[in-house]
Amino acid sequence: MSKQNLKPPRGTRDLYPEDQRFREWLFGHFREVAARFAFEEVDAPIVERASLFMRKAGEEIVDQLYHFELHGRHLALRPEMTPSIARMVMARAGGLRMPLRWFTVTQNWRYERMTRGRKREHYQWNMDIYGEPSVTAEAELIAAVTTLVDRVGLERDHVKIRVNSRSLLEASLRAGVLRDRPEVFEPLCVVIDKIEKIGADKVTDMLVDPAGAVQLDAASARDVVAMLEVKNLEDAVAAAPADSSAGSDLLRLWSLLSAYGIEDRVVFDASVVRGLAYYTGIVFEAFDTRGALRSICGGGRYDRLTETLGGPSIPAAGFGFGDVVIAELLADMNKLPELQHPVDDVVFAFDEAQRAAAIDVATRLRGAGHRVELVLGTPKLKRVITDADRDGVDTLWLVGPDEVERGVVKQRRLATGEESELPLDSFAVEPRG
Ligand code: HAM
């Protein structure tokens, strides 16, 4: 028989207990921050109708879809959560209390070209607000991101959030180079999102490419690229067309962020437009200040998505925060938590004759909320003690022939070595958990 390749598919991960402990730790922080901002958790199927994710603006995410035909249906593994959330909101529009605040922690699939920080499956924490048109929503979302960064132990200057306004760019372009072709704004954003990855020259080439989706003349393309160089809020606001609220929205956002005490954690950057077509307003991305990693999270306002999907118009804003880059950043900064296999008690029967008594001890401890390892088989006591020490176990319960005969169990506190004997059928158990 030929030898099977038993590796997981490229870009996917097996999670061993230590990986899973880290993941649970991180997801615990995602969920705790979401709870502190009064967001409620929702979920949706990982397999959706492929059409939910098919958009025509040339986004990478559409080309990277894992999709397949099954029994005549065209299905896809979700590459992101946002269309599913929009679908869920639309299905109950009218019956939901707005503004609504929902969060998810889900696995997403994208057939990416693999680089550091990008896998073919990743988990994302999403927080989304529907029904709030003002930038108070974006401010709350950005505050949640900084809360998470603090909670996981990173320092304030390890991560910054770059903020821009797509509506500012759109207003300027509609008044200028896109006056007669407003419909190319979305494909144009998808192209200029690549500027950091491929550089200004290649982006200019793509904008003028006669076979591309945008097809600007060379001078207009250079003007667009020059607009992306603005790194200063005042200059951006001053350049905003008078009939657009984009400038005042940005100023209001900054004043809200200062009320949260996080103004120093955001920077204006006109080159952040995001690679997804549906954003319409403020957009933001968190990045590590050394510039070594891909974006940590990204999001923004997407007021037209529900309409694009054939539903009512509902203003919306949100972000997705992946599990991969944050883990790399924590590792680079030496901030990965030390997480032990959490066991409170180990119960050890010296031999099978004491097994029933040991089961009884373990069952009572478990009933009181303790995490209990009942030693299986009858290894040497020395080995049991070494393993328990390594796992940071609190208490070892020794159930030997002599103890059972006298109706007692021996309790040893591993931190101090202190030992005591307790009545086997009536020892008191401290409740935990
Ligand atoms: P996104 O920028 O495509 O946005 O992804 C958000 C975050 O997910 C990224 O910043 C990154 O942390 C993580 N991520 C994305 N792709 C990968 C990958 N291949 N490997 C590892 N991590 C990845 C969205 O998905 C939007 N739906 C976010 C959103 C929610 N906007 C509004 N609400």
Side-chain angles (χ1 to χ4, degrees):
M1 222 167 82
S2 66
K3 215 170 153 211
Q4 264 195 54
N5 180 352
L6 292 177
K7 287 196 190 130
R10 210 167 122 70
T12 69
R13 294 168 285 179
D14 287 332
L15 294 187
Y16 286 86
E18 59 279 17
D19 310 315
Q20 186 65 17
R21 282 205 288 275
F22 170 76
R23 174 172 287 180
E24 286 306 311
W25 172 87
L26 182 63
F27 289 5
H29 287 303
F30 288 162
R31 292 199 160 91
E32 184 55 33
V33 172
R36 292 201 185 182
F37 283 73
F39 280 57
E40 285 190 287
E41 187 162 6
V42 295
D43 202 356
I46 190 163
V47 176
E48 291 271 15
R49 279 174 231 281
S51 55
L52 185 65
F53 305 114
M54 301 288 196
R55 296 182 292 256
K56 294 195 184 69
E59 298 155 278
E60 275 181 353
I61 199 168
V62 177
D63 298 332
Q64 294 167 340
L65 210 56
Y66 279 83
H67 61 113
F68 50 95
E69 294 274 344
L70 197 66
H71 302 298
R73 293 192 178 85
H74 189 196
L75 302 170
L77 293 180
R78 65 168 166 241
E80 56 162 339
M81 207 54 203
T82 312
S84 303
I85 301 282
R87 182 175 62 64
M88 287 172 69
V89 172
M90 285 161 62
R92 294 222 177 147
L96 295 166
R97 187 168 71 96
M98 300 274 177
L100 73 76
R101 303 162 162 87
W102 282 356
F103 82 94
T104 53
V105 182
T106 61
Q107 192 182 38
N108 306 305
W109 291 83
R110 300 182 188 184
Y111 198 82
E112 291 254 7
R113 214 166 48 80
M114 298 253 300
T115 53
R116 188 170 184 214
R118 287 294 176 268
K119 302 204 174 288
R120 292 189 175 151
E121 57 76 23
H122 71 282
Y123 278 79
Q124 243 186 49
W125 169 45
N126 278 243
M127 285 180 72
D128 288 275
I129 299 175
Y130 275 74
E132 178 48 56
S134 81
V135 291
T136 53
E138 286 93 321
E140 187 81 341
L141 294 165
I142 292 172
V145 171
T146 59
T147 306
L148 190 282
V149 168
D150 295 342
R151 270 189 77 95
V152 297
L154 290 167
E155 280 156 33
R156 214 175 165 85
D157 61 352
H158 285 160
V159 174
K160 289 244 193 275
I161 300 173
R162 288 196 197 122
V163 179
N164 186 22
S165 162
R166 254 202 200 184
S167 36
L168 184 69
L169 181 67
E170 187 172 10
S172 308
L173 295 181
R174 274 178 186 244
V177 299
L178 296 189
R179 187 174 295 116
D180 303 321
R181 300 168 61 225
E183 70 285 358
V184 299
F185 180 66
E186 284 181 7
L188 179 137
C189 286
V190 171
V191 171
I192 59 185
D193 174 63
K194 302 185 199 313
I195 197 154
E196 202 164 325
K197 227 195 288 175
I198 64 175
D201 291 346
K202 286 216 174 95
V203 163
T204 313
D205 291 347
M206 286 177 77
L207 291 176
V208 298
D209 181 359
V214 190
Q215 301 180 11
L216 295 183
D217 61 69
S220 305
R222 279 195 299 275
D223 286 351
V224 170
V225 169
M227 290 169 84
L228 310 180
E229 274 154 25
V230 179
K231 298 275 186 275
N232 172 306
L233 181 62
E234 288 69 37
D235 292 349
V237 171
D243 60 350
S244 143
S245 63
S248 56
D249 280 350
L250 272 170
L251 291 174
R252 170 115 170 91
L253 177 63
W254 247 259
S255 85
L256 291 167
L257 295 173
S258 117
Y260 283 95
I262 54 173
E263 197 188 355
D264 61 314
R265 305 177 76 163
V266 291
V267 288
F268 178 82
D269 186 336
S271 71
V272 172
V273 291
R274 312 270 301 124
L276 299 167
Y278 48 64
Y279 292 111
T280 54
I282 299 288
V283 281
F284 57 89
E285 275 180 10
F287 64 100
D288 82 293
T289 44
R290 303 163 308 153
L293 302 172
R294 302 283 300 264
S295 69
I296 301 168
C297 85
R301 177 163 289 280
Y302 53 102
D303 286 346
R304 292 197 286 267
L305 182 58
T306 49
E307 247 176 295
T308 317
L309 294 173
S313 157
I314 311 173
F319 67 78
F321 190 122
D323 65 332
V324 179
V325 180
I326 190 76
E328 288 178 347
L329 181 57
L330 287 164
D332 284 3
M333 295 301 167
N334 231 343
K335 297 277 188 190
L336 280 176
E338 276 182 28
L339 302 168
Q340 278 196 315
H341 175 202
V343 179
D344 301 316
D345 303 81
V346 168
V347 180
F348 179 53
F350 282 55
D351 71 41
E352 290 308 321
Q354 293 92 50
R355 171 108 3 231
I359 288 173
D360 187 46
V361 170
T363 304
R364 285 166 58 197
L365 291 166
R366 286 170 179 159
H370 290 224
R371 294 164 297 190
V372 182
E373 180 183 326
L374 174 66
V375 177
L376 304 177
T378 48
K380 294 254 183 323
L381 176 61
K382 197 161 160 241
R383 151 103 192 275
V384 172
I385 295 175
T386 314
D387 288 350
D389 270 334
R390 197 202 47 216
D391 286 347
V393 168
D394 201 34
T395 310
L396 184 60
W397 300 79
L398 300 171
V399 193
D402 175 48
E403 283 83 12
V404 171
E405 192 156 313
R406 289 187 292 115
V408 296
V409 54
K410 193 181 280 175
Q411 185 198 52
R412 183 187 294 182
R413 300 283 187 197
L414 285 173
T416 57
E418 177 201 339
E419 280 192 353
S420 44
E421 285 192 344
L422 304 172
L424 195 48
D425 55 2
S426 60
F427 65 88
V429 184
E430 273 164 50
R432 292 215 181 165

